[in-house]
Structures are given as structure tokens and as C-alpha cells.
Amino acid sequence: MQPKISVIIPIYNVARYIERCAISLFEQTLDSIEYIFINDCTQDDSMSILTRVIARYPKRIGQIHIHNLPQNQGLPNARKVGISLATGEYIAHCDSDDWIDRDMYLKMYTKAVEGNYDIVRCNFVRTYPAQYKHCYRVPNDHYEDKMLLIADLIRGADLSAMWDKIVKRDLYLCNNIIYPNANMLEDYPVVLQLLYYCNKIGYIDEVLYYYYYNSESITNALSYNQILRRYEQQKENVGVMLDFLDRQGLLSMLQNEIMILKFRVLDEIRTKVYYPEFYSIWRNAYPELTICRIPGYIRKLKHILTALCIYPILYNAKRCIKANRE
């Protein structure tokens, strides 16, 4: 019998978190789930911990598949492999350092079937040691017009994640989905394409996913080389998005949103423009991003302060004040 949902879980160096994640997955109230764990050549004890957790759920063992990649391929490719292996009616993703509400997939699948939705999205929270931060709530009526959602996605609303959605598998199979190779903003190009190709999108106004803010992850690395690499990967994936929008003839109608997206990419190096190399990159990356074309007064001000190399001073002062208060 075809599983109702295939959930794809890439694993790489998450020994401290995989038990919590796996328990939340195996205790789902939806019975018909296919679990696809992609071992991306993890270098720690993640897989042995996962094996011990699996042994505690004998009724789930027949639903669990573990695929070992021959070499580390990164999150986008690990997900792509998982999608190719999935057999469920819908596909879901779960990052292995996060966890989910025990009713998440039952509620989302029920919503999808009742409304004949290609995609169903729920709310999530970002979890920190001392607080939760709720996702930005996209206006409910935007779910009735996918072009509004695409505009929201590009300008940076909380729509880009793969893990707060279930997606009909046919949406992947029947369209030539282009998967990025770079790790930063890796969800954006895929979600953009899924939104474009879908017919109906459902929404559950309820927190069902818990995103763990991992201060040691690649997205929070701060060394010179890591910042440069993060910037390069973001720019690469934004390029994939722009190529897709161009092919669909959507660039002209999304000009403001695209300017905001490019501005966000430059945020990655904005705090380091006192390095001549970073200043040169910032100045030349998107020459069309001029002060008159940047939407919003705050962004215009940040752009001016960056050009004067003042922004890094103000940014670091703000961080010091915040650290002292904590």
C-alpha cells in the first residue's frame, strides 16, 4: 500500500539532536508514513544513536529506510536523493536537529486530502535556548493566489523552508524541478518552482514544526572564509531563482521583490566591508542595486552606511550592547 507521506531526513553530524528528532517522527499519530533517512557521511555517532531509537519503535521498522551516500554531498543533494527514493502520496522534509508536533503529519495530510491541495503549509517557531520566535504570518488570502506567495517568498517572508510543508509527489515527478548544489538559501529555488507549478495551496494556522537554531551550524559560522563562502552560495542559488523567473517571463513583474532579495544576499558581507576584498565584492556584485532602486528607507540608509564603511561599526556596537544586556 502506498504511504500517505514520505518524510526525508538528511543526517550529518547531529548526534546531539537526532534522538529528539527521530522520537518526534516515530510518535506521529499518522500511521502510514515512509521514513527515508539519508546518511550524508556523518562523522559522529548520529547513525548509531538513530539505530538505538529505531529499536524502541518495532512497529515502525518496516517503514524505515536508511540510505548511505558514498560521499558527503550536502543538504540539497541529500534531499534530492531522498525525493528520488520516496514512494508516498505526499513528500515532507524534516531537518535532523529539529522536531515536530506529534499530530503534524496527520493534520497536514487530512487538510491536503480534504481540500485536494498540492501543497499544505503550517506555522513554525524558531527555538533558541531562552525563547521561541514565531514565523512571519503571511496573510491568509495570499494562499489563494500563488503569485502573491511567490512575491512574499522572494522578498523574504517565512515561506522558503521545505520542512513546513507537505508536497504532492506528482508535483516533483511531473515537472522538471531544478535542484541547487550550494547549501545557503538552498530551499528557495525549489520552493519557488513548487509554488509556481502547484494548483492549490492549503494552510494550517498552527505551530507544528520546531526549528532549532543551532549556533554551531554552517549558517552561523563567522570566519572570513566562511562568510565569503556563504555569500557565494547565496548568490549562486539566487542566480538559479532568477534564471527560472526569467524563463517564466516573471522578472519584470517582480522587480521590487528581486531587488530586496539581492539586498539580502549582500547582507551576508555588509558587516565586513572594512576588508577591501569584501568592499569590492559588495560594490560590484549587483551594480543595478543603486540607491534609487532599493525599496524602503531603512534599506537605503543601510546601503549608504555600507558605502561609507560605517555600517560594520554600528552593527558590532549593537551586538556588544546586546551581549552585555544578556
Side-chain angles (χ1 to χ4, degrees), residues 153-171:
L153 167 72
I154 295 172
R155 74 167 62 95
D158 281 331
L159 282 166
S160 63
M162 302 282 283
W163 33 253
D164 63 350
K165 304 170 182 68
I166 65 169
V167 178
K168 192 171 286 187
R169 187 164 65 100
D170 287 348
L171 206 59

Side-chain angles (χ1 to χ4, degrees), residues 75-87:
L75 183 58
N77 282 315
R79 285 179 174 160
K80 181 179 178 181
V81 170
I83 292 168
S84 71
L85 298 172
T87 64

Side-chain angles (χ1 to χ4, degrees), residues 18 88 117 127 141 165 192 207 225:
I18 185 61
Y117 293 114
T127 66
D141 61 337
K165 304 170 182 68
L192 169 64
V207 171
N225 289 334

